[in-house]
Each structure stands twice: as C-alpha cells, then as structure tokens.
Amino acid sequence: FEKIDLGLKEAYEELFMNDEERIINRSPRVLDIEISQIDDFENHPFKVKDDEDMEKLMESIATYGVLTPVIIREKGDRYEMVSGHRRKHACERLGMETIPAVVKELTREEAIIAMTDSNIQRENILPSEKAWAYKMKMDAIKHQGKTLGPVGLKWSATKISAENNESETQIKRYIRLTELIPELSQKVDEGKIAFRPAVELSYLTEKEQYELLEVMEREDCTPSLAQSIKFKELSRNGKLDKTILSKILSELKANQIEKIIFKRNELEKYFPETVTVLDIKTKMMSLLEQDRKRKQNRDAR
C-alpha cells in the first residue's frame, strides 16, 4: 500500500467494504484537536465579541459540549480555522484544551469561500463584516478562474448574488464599503452613517475622508445621501476641500426643516372651497409680504 496513491488506496480498500462500512468511511471524521494548534483564519472579517451571545454560547458548551464540530484545514505543521471562530473563543474562555474538529483539504481560495459562506447568513452581521466577506469571496472566485480556466458566472457578482439572495448591485455596494477609512467604517457599523450615503463616501480619497471625519466631529453631524452624492461629484472634479465639506454639512437636510401644515377646514372661513391649494399659498405669501413691507415703512419713520 505504501506505493499506492492515497486516493487509489482508499478506493481499493472500499472494494472490500459493505455499504454500511462505505458510508462510515466516507463520513467526515471528527477529531479532538488541541486548541493551541489552531490559528485564526488570516484576515477573516468576522468579529468575535465578548457579548451576551458569547455568554450564551459558553453556557451551552459548558452544559452540552460543542455540538457542531469546527472546520479546520492543515497549514504547515499547524491548523487554520475555517468555520468556528466563536466556538473556539468560547472554549478558550472556558479553559478547554481541545475542540472537536473536521479537518478538510482545502486550497486557500476554497477555504475563503467556505469561511465566508458559513458566516455570511449569521444574524446581526455588521455592514463591514459583510463588505469584507463579499470582497474576499469575490477575489477568491476570480483567482480560481485564473487558475482553473474560464468559470462563466464566477467572473462576476452574479454567483455571489444568487447564493446570498441579494442583487448584484447590492453586492457591489457592500464591496465599495471596504474603501472607507476605518473610522468611517466604524460609524457605519454603529448606525451613525446610513448604508447608501456610506457607499457614496467610499469614492472620496483617503485625505478627503479624514477631512470629512474631522468636520463631522466638529459639527456633530452626518451627511445625508444627497450631500454624499454631492461630495462624490466634487471629489471627482477635484473641487472638494474642508471648507466646502463644512459648508455643505451645515446645510439643513430636508428632514430637518420644520414644516407648517394647515388643515383645509382651518382655512375654509378665509377661502372658498373652489380656491386651489396653490391659490391659497400665493394669497398667504402675498399678505405676508404686504405685512413685512408695512413693518419696514413703520420702522423707517
């Protein structure tokens, strides 16, 4: 057997197995791996936080153990985590030395795709996590295309869109968020900057983004979608600077302008029913203008 390729060896051995033995042989083998031998996936975008959910996970593991084995791959003489960073962290906090794991033979690209797919549907995923996950997966798929030859849909956002029930446009918008400086990205995660304005702000240069951040903190405000689009256009034309940022951000947004509303029945004793809303507005503005001029003339005496 030593001279036979490992795959051929396993196939040869299966010739002498019954159906039940073949099923068992092909099932993923769960091993107890020392946690100290498992490294986090390089540059993985998903944050592992010591929050309420982590406490619940630790309580579950302490009571029932790790019900779902983590997925790891061999990397040199150590292992790299593919799926299960939160479970690993929970076990570390509980003082456990080993964790049940399935070791899979995966290329770097295959591991990235598996890592992102196992986390992307998680509840309460942050915009920055989804952004970097989509970017990593997109880059991995493109690299597969270069090494494996033409891969059709794999060359675009279409494949990721189909697998994640989001439009290609939305996938590309998320990937744009990776162009934000960390401080603005954090504000998006915290809900202080809305998603669509953040996408437009990602087109600003790094210098412009830091200037925007400075103005935002000084003025204690955040840009609207319309303002962000304006910033993008000015940046594209090389006309965006701190003074303009401050001036535009100081403008009242549409939802900040207080509206005065009159009900029709409140005005019926002043205007007949046949008068249109535009006529009412015109008449009221005319009366207000006459009143303003009378006050000016009186003050001038």
Side-chain angles (χ1 to χ4, degrees):
F1 277 142
E2 286 76 3
K3 296 182 180 180
I4 300 177
D5 178 82
L6 182 60
L8 293 176
K9 176 182 176 181
E10 291 178 349
Y12 183 76
E13 288 176 340
E14 282 201 0
L15 291 174
F16 301 97
M17 297 179 185
N18 57 39
D19 290 343
E20 183 177 352
E21 289 172 331
R22 289 192 186 97
I23 292 173
I24 294 173
N25 186 60
R26 295 176 185 179
S27 299
R29 294 190 176 132
V30 180
L31 306 173
D32 284 328
I33 303 294
E34 290 185 16
I35 295 175
S36 61
Q37 292 297 308
I38 305 174
D39 298 318
D40 289 343
F41 197 92
E42 186 181 1
N43 296 325
H44 83 93
F46 302 102
K47 297 177 175 63
V48 177
K49 297 182 288 186
D50 288 318
D51 53 13
E52 184 179 347
D53 287 340
M54 179 58 67
E55 295 298 324
K56 291 179 180 178
L57 178 59
M58 289 174 60
E59 183 179 343
S60 173
I61 291 175
T63 304
Y64 305 107
V66 179
L67 300 178
T68 304
V70 300
I71 298 175
I72 59 179
R73 71 175 187 134
E74 291 184 356
K75 189 176 181 183
D77 57 353
R78 294 178 61 80
Y79 297 98
E80 183 176 55
M81 183 67 72
V82 176
S83 174
H85 289 86
R86 294 180 70 253
R87 278 164 282 168
K88 172 176 172 279
H89 183 69
C91 289
E92 287 175 325
R93 285 192 56 188
L94 289 168
M96 298 170 61
E97 295 183 356
T98 63
I99 189 170
V102 174
V103 182
K104 290 193 173 183
E105 292 185 19
L106 299 170
T107 65
R108 168 74 178 170
E109 289 72 29
E110 290 170 338
I112 288 174
I113 293 170
M115 181 268 296
T116 55
D117 286 349
S118 65
N119 285 278
I120 203 72
Q121 300 301 335
R122 198 181 72 215
E123 291 184 13
N124 302 321
I125 186 170
L126 296 172
S128 65
E129 293 178 314
K130 186 177 282 192
W132 283 103
Y134 281 152
K135 178 173 173 54
M136 289 181 72
K137 184 173 181 178
M138 178 78 77
D139 291 343
I141 289 173
K142 287 181 177 178
H143 190 265
Q144 280 185 325
K146 292 177 182 178
T147 57
L148 300 178
V151 288
L153 294 180
K154 291 183 178 181
W155 279 101
S156 70
T158 306
K159 180 176 174 61
I160 300 177
S161 170
E163 292 175 349
N164 294 279
N165 196 32
E166 290 200 77
S167 69
E168 291 184 45
T169 299
Q170 191 73 344
I171 297 292
K172 292 173 182 176
R173 283 173 179 159
Y174 269 110
I175 292 176
R176 279 299 318 174
L177 294 185
T178 63
E179 301 296 330
L180 289 174
I181 60 174
E183 293 84 352
L184 290 183
S185 180
Q186 183 176 344
K187 288 186 180 294
V188 180
D189 284 345
E190 294 171 348
K192 295 178 181 178
I193 299 179
F195 176 75
R196 285 299 308 281
V199 173
E200 302 302 321
L201 296 177
S202 72
Y203 290 91
L204 273 58
T205 66
E206 181 177 328
K207 178 176 180 291
E208 290 168 343
Q209 289 187 44
Y210 275 111
E211 289 178 340
L212 170 63
L213 179 67
E214 183 182 332
V215 175
M216 284 171 55
E217 292 177 345
R218 186 178 69 237
E219 303 290 340
D220 190 24
C221 61
T222 56
S224 66
L225 177 58
Q227 289 172 333
S228 299
I229 292 173
K230 189 179 294 185
F231 291 153
K232 176 183 173 182
E233 286 299 313
L234 289 168
S235 174
R236 182 180 294 169
N237 296 321
K239 297 180 179 179
L240 188 63
D241 58 29
K242 198 180 297 185
T243 302
I244 293 176
L245 284 166
S246 183
K247 180 180 178 182
I248 294 175
L249 275 179
S250 65
E251 296 173 353
L252 280 176
K253 302 172 189 175
N255 61 355
Q256 293 176 321
I257 301 174
E258 188 174 1
K259 297 179 180 180
I260 301 175
I261 301 174
F262 291 100
K263 294 181 180 179
R264 183 82 190 207
N265 59 1
E266 293 176 319
L267 301 173
E268 60 185 9
K269 61 182 178 182
Y270 305 107
F271 301 96
E273 292 184 2
T274 54
V275 177
T276 66
V277 172
L278 180 59
D279 289 337
I280 292 174
K281 178 181 177 181
T282 301
K283 182 63 176 178
M284 291 179 71
M285 293 304 295
S286 175
L287 291 171
L288 288 168
E289 180 62 18
Q290 291 175 23
D291 185 62
R292 185 183 70 82
K293 288 181 178 179
R294 279 197 300 269
K295 288 180 179 179
Q296 282 182 334
N297 292 334
R298 187 175 63 242
D299 293 340
R301 292 172 188 168

